[in-house]
Each structure stands twice: as structure tokens, then as C-alpha cells.
Amino acid sequence: MRVLVTGANSQLGMALAQCVQPGEGMEWHFHGRSELDITDEEGVMQFVRFLQPDVVINTAAYTAVDRAEDEVDAAFAVNRDGVANLAAAVAATGSHLVHLSTDYVYDNGQCHPYRETDAVRPGGAYARSKRAGEQEALLLSENVTLIRASWLYGAMRHNFLQTMIRLGQERKELPVVYDQVGSPTWTMDLARMLVQLTDALKDEARRPSLCGVFNYSNEGVASWYDFAVAIMRVTGLPCRILPIRSAEYPTPAKRPSYSVMDKSKIRSALGLRIPHWQESLEECWRGMEK
């Protein structure tokens, strides 16, 4: 099986590259924007036709949530049009698209874990662009697996963990919102799941059951405040975290107040054991200390 990974320089793309083992009946190809710009419709089609991958995993995305409010066209160019280009190429070559989306597409006001069948109500430009990408993918190809993930962090690239460590080294106190609740997700856990999913796609008989929308995050629930407190604990930084309301820290883009997701569908489909977010945070930090 030949696998193409777009967005190779994203934090998830880099984590996925670390998870891949040589051989195992799979040939992996990782390409960043300089080699494969998913917004280039003709370039994407030519690239996919030339490589003839069995599976395309799209980790490329516009992820600047606040900046997207001023760069709406740029966000939609990547998160909608780029996904449409990949889905069209996948449909033309008979391959399978695994596309990464976000918990931000939910936010319909409910306060119990979201299932994939629940109504979506994306608010900000980033969330709307990601939802538009989902719609394009599902419209253009039958062979699509959409993974809605949440609160990604890891040892590589810019993310909440890296920001908290930096600020925790610079400040004695740090205000963090406590009224936005979700599930932190370690990129390595998500990457391991993607490797397992790709392996399952080898079996053509299983493929139909692996199409459609799936939620994935680490287990457990946290506010950003809870997450920040846990980061200071595992890193040993003396910075005190102060709980504040979102209204006290206004941002250009509105974030969901509750985006916890039900993962029973992906657990059942792949037979997964999903680690708790605190367990994964500790494992992530142990790796960063080495």
C-alpha cells in the first residue's frame, strides 16, 4: 500500500512521520507545501495521478483561528478548496482520502459529548472553512474518512503546550480561561490511530465501515485552565495559573464553550484503547525531557 501524507511539516504530519515504521507492507510519502500545495488544483491532480497512492492523509490546514477572521479567503483556500482538490484527485484515481477536521465545527450549544450525527454550527471563519472542507470531501468522493480532532498539542510546532511552557518560564502568574471545555489531544496518539486506520484500509472488505465522519481525541475532559495547571505540574514550572472567564480574555474568533466528543464510533471501528489526556501529557513531557 502506498500512502501520501500532505502537510508533512505540520505538527501532526511530523508526529505521523515519527510513528511510521519501515516496511510493514506500506510505502509512505511525506510532502510539505513546497512540494505539494493543495490549493493548486492542477498540481494536486498531476501529483496524485503520478504517485498513484492507495491512501491520501491530509494534515495540511490553515489553523490560525484568530487570524482567519481577517484572512477569510486564505482560510477557505486551504481548508475548503485544498480539500476539494484532494477529494477530486482521489475520486479520479480510485484512492481513499483521510482528512483531518476539527471539533470546532460542532458548537451547537449542547452540553454532553458530541456524536458524529449531531448537528454542526461552526461559528468563526476557521470553523466555517473546516466545515466547508468536510462538505466538499464528502460530495466529491465516496472513499473518504473524516476525523474530527480537538485541542492538538505535542513536542513539535506551535501549540498550547509549547506556549504554556514558554510563558511559564517567563512569568510568575498566568491567566487562562476556565469556561471553555474540551479534550486535549496529543499528536502522537492521533498519529498512532492514523497508522492503525491506514493499516485497516488494506482490507477492502472493511473500507466501507471506515468511511464517513469519526471523532477522535484523548479521553477525559478539561478546561484550558485545567490543561494549563496540568502542564505546570508535569513540567515542574512554578508559574501560578489564574482562572478567568472568556469575557476577560476576548479574542477575534469565538471558541466553543463545550466541544467534548464521543469517541465510541472510532473505538469500535478500530478496537482502540484511547489514553486519558493526563496520561498522554505525562508521556509527551517525558519524551521532551530526553
Side-chain angles (χ1 to χ4, degrees):
M1 173 179 279
R2 183 174 295 146
V3 185
L4 167 63
V5 179
T6 67
N9 297 318
S10 68
Q11 62 168 332
L12 179 56
M14 296 172 75
L16 190 53
Q18 286 191 341
C19 288
V20 170
Q21 299 297 322
E24 297 184 348
M26 286 191 280
E27 178 185 304
W28 293 80
H29 297 259
F30 290 83
H31 294 278
R33 183 179 180 182
S34 62
E35 303 157 310
L36 178 58
D37 181 351
I38 66 170
T39 66
D40 179 355
E41 182 178 4
E42 183 177 350
V44 168
M45 184 64 75
Q46 290 179 351
F47 197 101
V48 173
R49 285 189 183 279
F50 172 78
L51 187 63
Q52 291 291 310
D54 299 285
V55 177
V56 177
I57 302 177
N58 180 38
T59 73
Y62 181 108
T63 58
V65 176
D66 287 323
R67 196 163 69 235
E69 297 301 310
D70 294 321
E71 299 180 357
V72 177
D73 290 345
F76 273 81
V78 178
N79 294 343
R80 179 194 62 195
D81 303 339
V83 177
N85 294 339
L86 287 169
V90 161
T93 57
S95 52
H96 188 100
L97 176 63
V98 178
H99 172 60
L100 276 297
S101 190
T102 174
D103 60 318
Y104 278 29
V105 302
Y106 288 117
D107 198 23
N108 67 19
Q110 73 182 45
C111 54
H112 55 273
Y114 285 97
R115 292 184 175 180
E116 293 84 351
T117 52
D118 286 332
V120 296
R121 192 178 65 184
Y126 165 73
R128 295 196 308 274
S129 71
K130 292 296 286 184
R131 176 54 181 161
E134 290 185 352
Q135 292 172 313
E136 291 290 338
L138 294 171
L139 176 66
L140 293 169
S141 178
E142 295 180 352
N143 300 320
V144 175
T145 304
L146 295 177
I147 307 293
R148 290 174 178 160
S150 67
W151 295 26
L152 295 189
Y153 73 91
M156 294 167 286
R157 293 298 186 187
H158 176 73
N159 54 65
F160 187 77
L161 170 64
Q162 301 288 355
T163 300
M164 289 299 103
I165 291 174
R166 176 176 57 81
L167 294 177
Q169 293 170 335
E170 298 172 353
R171 304 182 187 180
K172 294 181 179 180
E173 295 183 338
L174 186 64
V176 180
V177 299
Y178 70 86
D179 56 357
Q180 295 174 23
V181 178
S183 300
T185 305
W186 186 23
T187 51
M188 289 298 289
D189 284 333
L190 177 54
R192 289 165 183 159
M193 183 278 289
L194 290 172
V195 172
Q196 188 171 339
L197 170 64
T198 304
D199 187 66
L201 289 169
K202 289 180 184 177
D203 185 348
E204 292 189 11
R206 292 185 64 184
R207 284 195 179 193
S209 67
L210 298 172
C211 291
V213 181
F214 294 82
N215 294 330
Y216 184 88
S217 70
N218 279 120
E219 296 288 10
V221 178
S223 67
W224 290 110
Y225 166 81
D226 297 326
F227 192 18
V229 168
I231 290 169
M232 298 306 156
R233 174 180 58 80
V234 300
T235 60
L237 291 170
C239 181
R240 181 187 176 200
I241 305 300
L242 307 175
I244 62 170
R245 294 179 181 272
S246 296
E248 299 174 71
Y249 187 75
T251 56
K254 177 182 176 295
R255 269 74 169 173
S257 59
Y258 183 92
S259 62
V260 179
M261 298 185 295
D262 184 305
K263 280 83 65 176
S264 57
K265 185 179 177 183
I266 193 77
R267 278 200 306 266
S268 176
L270 295 178
L272 286 178
R273 175 197 172 270
I274 303 177
H276 191 279
W277 69 265
Q278 293 191 49
E279 174 188 342
S280 291
L281 175 61
E282 291 172 359
E283 185 181 348
C284 175
W285 176 244
R286 286 195 298 269
M288 292 173 68
E289 284 187 301
K290 293 180 180 178

